[in-house]
Amino acid sequence: MDIEKKDEQPLRSSPLPHTDESRKRKRRSCIICCASVTGVILTILLVLLILGLTVFKAKKPVMTVNSVALQDLNVSFHTFPVRVSLNLSLDLGISIENPNKVGVKYQPSSASLLYRGNEVGQVPIPAGEIGSDDTRELNLTVTVFADRLLSDSDMYRDLLSGNLPFTTYTRIKAKVRVLFIHIHVTSISTCDVNIDIAGRRIANQTCNYQNSL
């Protein structure tokens, strides 16, 4: 007698309750870990932002002309042939103060001597760096290019009047690094001076300053 055999179906095991709970715990742990890392990163960014807006906020370097002194002045008139000889040089005492909590680097620049708006002398200022909360002193000597000055017809009238008006112009471009940002700063100083030829001295001087970020 033949007995029909039924296909036996493998038994499917139902998921164990503890397996689902384990997955849920792992998922919660990942969420907590990600939230913690995100919170730490946001906190660091917030602290850096606060420091950047307060302690490390970029400030303008302050350039000051401390003194303008007459180092050399020789004027002579010649009759035959008619000509004028002139030697003139000025000493400039300049200080650059860095009020930032980080160092400031400034690029090569120059100080110029102007006569009625025309450049008649120049001295280079080499590149350098000023430490945090520090001041750099610069002593410069500007010598007049006599050929440029003597070619100006107004100069003879000023020589006869005994007074020579000049303007010193100094422009320095600096770079301040605050956190990961570089900020460029420009400082400009102009000083109007009058030279008393007979007294061989500077009669008066007026200085103006301009700083920009």
Side-chain angles (χ1 to χ4, degrees):
M1 182 177 180
D2 295 332
I3 299 174
E4 293 183 0
K5 295 183 179 180
K6 295 183 179 180
D7 295 335
E8 295 181 355
Q9 297 290 337
L11 295 176
R12 295 181 180 179
S13 58
S14 58
L16 298 176
H18 67 83
T19 302
D20 291 339
E21 292 179 2
S22 177
R23 289 176 180 175
K24 290 180 180 179
R25 282 197 298 269
K26 289 181 179 179
R27 191 178 300 115
R28 281 197 299 268
S29 298
C30 291
I31 293 173
I32 294 173
C33 182
C34 292
S36 300
V37 172
T38 303
V40 170
I41 293 175
L42 291 176
T43 302
I44 293 175
L45 291 176
L46 181 60
V47 171
L48 292 177
L49 178 61
I50 294 173
L51 290 176
L53 295 176
T54 55
V55 178
F56 293 103
K57 182 180 180 180
K59 300 175 183 177
K60 303 172 185 177
V62 180
M63 180 169 59
T64 306
V65 178
N66 300 318
S67 63
V68 181
L70 186 63
Q71 185 192 66
D72 186 28
L73 174 62
N74 291 310
V75 182
S76 58
F77 296 89
H78 304 274
T79 307
F80 300 103
V82 178
R83 64 186 179 89
V84 177
S85 297
L86 174 65
N87 292 318
L88 173 64
S89 59
L90 295 176
D91 283 341
L92 301 180
I94 297 175
S95 63
I96 308 174
E97 180 186 356
N98 175 24
N100 293 281
K101 298 301 180 183
V102 293
V104 170
K105 294 182 179 180
Y106 58 90
Q107 302 175 5
S109 184
S110 62
S112 301
L113 189 64
L114 308 178
Y115 174 73
R116 297 190 180 279
N118 298 316
E119 185 180 73
V120 294
Q122 188 182 87
V123 60
I125 300 176
E129 184 174 0
I130 309 173
S132 61
D133 295 321
D134 198 5
T135 301
R136 173 67 56 85
E137 303 286 345
L138 299 176
N139 295 311
L140 310 173
T141 300
V142 187
T143 301
V144 167
F145 302 140
D147 55 339
R148 297 186 187 180
L149 187 60
L150 295 175
S151 63
D152 194 320
S153 58
D154 290 329
M155 189 273 300
Y156 298 97
R157 185 165 54 250
D158 289 332
L159 284 175
L160 292 175
S161 69
N163 180 72
L164 281 174
F166 288 97
T167 299
T168 64
Y169 177 84
T170 307
R171 182 173 183 265
I172 292 180
K173 297 183 68 175
K175 182 169 63 176
V176 184
R177 182 177 180 180
V178 179
L179 300 179
F180 306 105
I181 303 174
H182 288 91
I183 299 174
H184 296 272
V185 183
T186 301
S187 296
I188 298 174
S189 73
T190 56
C191 290
D192 296 322
V193 298
N194 288 315
I195 298 177
D196 179 4
I197 298 175
R200 299 174 59 84
R201 66 185 181 87
I202 292 179
N204 55 66
Q205 70 178 57
T206 304
C207 296
N208 295 292
Y209 306 98
Q210 179 182 353
N211 295 299
S212 60
L213 288 173

